[in-house]
Amino acid sequence: MTRIMVLSVSGLMMILLAGCGQRSGLSAVREGTVAFREGKYEKAAIAFERAATRISGSANLYYNLGVTHLRLGNMDKAQTALKTACELDPEQASAQVCLAQIAYYRNDLPEASAYLNKALLKMKDKDERARALTTLGFIEVARQRYDYARLSFLEAIRLNKDYAPARYNLATLYRDTYGLKEEALEEFELFKRVVDSKDPHFDKAKNSITRLQLNLERTKADQGASAQRRDSPTAAKLLNDAILLHQSKQYSKALKTYRDALLADPQTFSAAYGAGMACIKLNKSTEAIDAFKTALEINPNNQDCYVQLARLMLQVRQTAEAAKVLDRAIARSPYNPVSYDLMARIRYAEGRFDEAWLYGCFYVSLIPATDPSRASYERWLNSFKQK
């Protein structure tokens, strides 16, 4: 399992000086900046430390000192300087990112995640946010917090659809964690389109695509070997009769006719879907679940089927199964708000309030600001945020 880690040490920040006393440290700052750019990090650290004794209250100076020590591998000194930078300027996201990197190197993944979340609250630039979100997702995978990881990657792609590391990491997450082969294949293909062929992960993506394609071809061949007899004209007539019965609210007769249509042609999606909807009207939840499962086997791209199936499973407390249904729904249509609302309710029912809040917030970010349900939904989210 290979993923792309995108944390990196940033460059230096500009230091503004004012007053005669502080200007006396200007030569040390210049010396340190030149040395840093030349890769002479020990010399740069000495110069910045000297400047820090003469210049007070400069968050950027302490940031530069921290970055320099980070380049040297002096983690303790880097951490001290970067924390000072954050104290002097709480809005400095870059220092938080560097502190996350130190925490990651020390294998303190919860702290790395916490620093990145703090940094994201302050970031405005879309590309900068996409990088930080992808790094956060990478860390959350290592923590086995897959809800967090998936949403981080999807938000990064929403900010920049061509951001290759997020595509690659999402593809490996779908393949290795969720077992979603077709969806992983699509993400690897998208990664290949947006990345340079010299990228170190390009060939790995190509190999993954080849293996996934072979696997899917074998699966289709097995399904073809057991193909069922189809009588499409009879199925079409029965389906039309079932729809008329459904419209006239004769749900029991409609259900039987939908099933007869499926017997005539087992690939009639509308018959399976209609049977599911008729079962809902008849309060036959278990039979409705089976019908929608059949419909999705016929057409795995119908989003309403996923929604109906997950909603029914949630009603009968099959939360784990409902979540799996939505895993595929989200992978196939990643910005359909209904999926995130349902996932929030599933996690809430499971008592996983942090994840419920996360999915709920993602849902809110996808619906229009003028949506009349938005305010009440946000109140619901806030009611359990601290649970």
Side-chain angles (χ1 to χ4, degrees):
M1 177 173 60
T2 304
R3 302 185 192 276
I4 302 176
M5 175 68 170
V6 292
L7 264 180
S8 60
V9 178
S10 303
L12 300 182
M13 288 188 175
M14 182 181 296
I15 300 170
L16 302 175
L17 302 178
C20 297
Q22 291 197 350
R23 287 186 182 279
S24 64
L26 181 58
S27 61
V29 170
R30 287 174 176 166
E31 182 183 342
T33 302
V34 171
F36 184 94
R37 290 173 178 168
E38 292 176 350
K40 299 175 181 177
Y41 302 122
E42 290 185 5
K43 183 178 179 181
I46 293 169
F48 286 137
E49 285 169 354
R50 188 167 68 250
T53 64
R54 302 171 185 175
I55 301 171
S56 61
S58 173
N60 287 357
L61 174 55
Y62 279 99
Y63 170 81
N64 292 350
L65 178 59
V67 167
T68 305
H69 279 305
L70 197 50
R71 291 285 177 98
L72 289 167
N74 299 333
M75 297 301 172
D76 289 340
K77 290 182 178 180
Q79 186 179 52
T80 298
L82 291 164
K83 282 185 175 181
T84 301
C86 291
E87 290 169 5
L88 292 169
D89 181 7
E91 297 302 309
Q92 195 176 99
S94 296
Q96 301 279 6
V97 171
C98 290
L99 285 167
Q101 185 164 354
I102 293 169
Y104 176 79
Y105 286 152
R106 290 174 168 170
N107 202 33
D108 189 344
L109 301 182
E111 184 170 277
S113 176
Y115 275 125
L116 281 170
N117 278 303
K118 289 178 185 176
L120 282 162
L121 292 173
K122 304 171 180 68
M123 289 180 180
K124 304 298 182 186
D125 181 77
K126 286 187 176 181
D127 290 338
E128 186 180 20
R129 286 181 60 80
R131 285 193 296 273
L133 283 161
T134 303
T135 301
L136 179 60
F138 180 97
I139 291 169
E140 296 297 3
V141 169
R143 298 179 68 189
Q144 298 184 349
R145 303 204 319 168
Y146 302 120
D147 285 336
Y148 293 81
R150 171 170 56 189
L151 290 176
S152 294
F153 296 142
L154 288 173
E155 179 61 15
I157 292 167
R158 188 154 69 122
L159 290 168
N160 182 352
K161 65 182 178 63
D162 294 332
Y163 189 55
R167 292 283 184 193
Y168 188 92
N169 286 332
L170 186 60
T172 57
L173 184 67
Y174 285 161
R175 181 193 63 194
D176 301 335
T177 301
Y178 292 103
L180 299 173
K181 296 183 178 64
E182 290 184 42
E183 295 77 6
L185 175 60
E186 182 178 355
E187 289 299 333
F188 279 124
E189 292 277 15
L190 289 168
F191 170 80
K192 262 187 63 186
R193 291 176 202 167
V194 300
V195 78
D196 189 276
S197 60
K198 295 178 182 178
D199 186 282
H201 290 83
F202 184 86
D203 288 337
K204 292 175 183 176
K206 277 183 63 178
N207 291 337
S208 292
I209 288 168
T210 300
R211 287 195 297 271
L212 287 166
Q213 286 174 334
L214 289 171
N215 190 294
L216 290 168
E217 286 169 7
R218 282 196 296 268
T219 301
K220 288 179 181 177
D222 292 342
Q223 291 173 343
S226 59
Q228 296 167 295
R229 182 184 62 82
R230 300 180 63 181
D231 183 354
S232 297
T234 300
K237 181 181 181 307
L238 288 165
L239 177 61
N240 185 63
D241 293 343
I243 291 171
L244 292 173
L245 288 166
H246 198 125
Q247 289 173 344
S248 63
K249 299 184 180 181
Q250 299 181 59
Y251 301 121
S252 294
K253 289 182 179 179
L255 176 58
K256 181 184 181 303
T257 312
Y258 281 130
R259 287 171 171 169
D260 288 343
L262 269 175
L263 286 173
D265 183 354
Q267 293 301 306
T268 308
F269 167 79
S270 295
Y273 179 83
M277 297 304 291
C279 285
I280 289 176
K281 292 292 187 180
L282 294 166
N283 294 317
K284 296 182 176 182
S285 297
T286 301
E287 293 177 44
I289 287 171
D290 290 338
F292 286 123
K293 283 181 178 178
T294 299
L296 283 171
E297 287 173 5
I298 300 168
N299 179 9
N301 291 315
N302 187 281
Q303 281 293 305
D304 190 59
C305 256
Y306 288 111
V307 170
Q308 296 292 349
L309 181 54
R311 189 173 285 143
L312 284 164
M313 287 176 164
L314 177 58
Q315 288 172 5
V316 298
R317 301 183 185 279
Q318 296 179 13
T319 54
E321 293 84 352
K324 287 180 182 178
V325 168
L326 290 174
D327 286 341
R328 189 176 293 277
I330 288 170
R332 287 181 175 259
S333 184
Y335 304 109
N336 180 5
V338 181
S339 295
Y340 297 99
D341 170 43
L342 274 173
M343 196 62 110
R345 297 180 189 280
I346 289 167
R347 293 298 183 236
Y348 183 87
E350 293 173 332
R352 296 166 59 177
F353 301 117
D354 287 345
E355 289 96 328
W357 186 80
L358 200 68
Y359 279 114
C361 288
F362 206 83
Y363 165 75
V364 169
S365 75
L366 293 173
I367 62 175
T370 55
D371 190 298
S373 67
R374 188 185 183 102
S376 61
Y377 195 89
E378 288 178 334
R379 284 195 297 273
W380 175 66
L381 288 179
N382 291 330
S383 72
F384 64 83
K385 182 180 178 182
Q386 301 302 324
K387 286 191 180 182

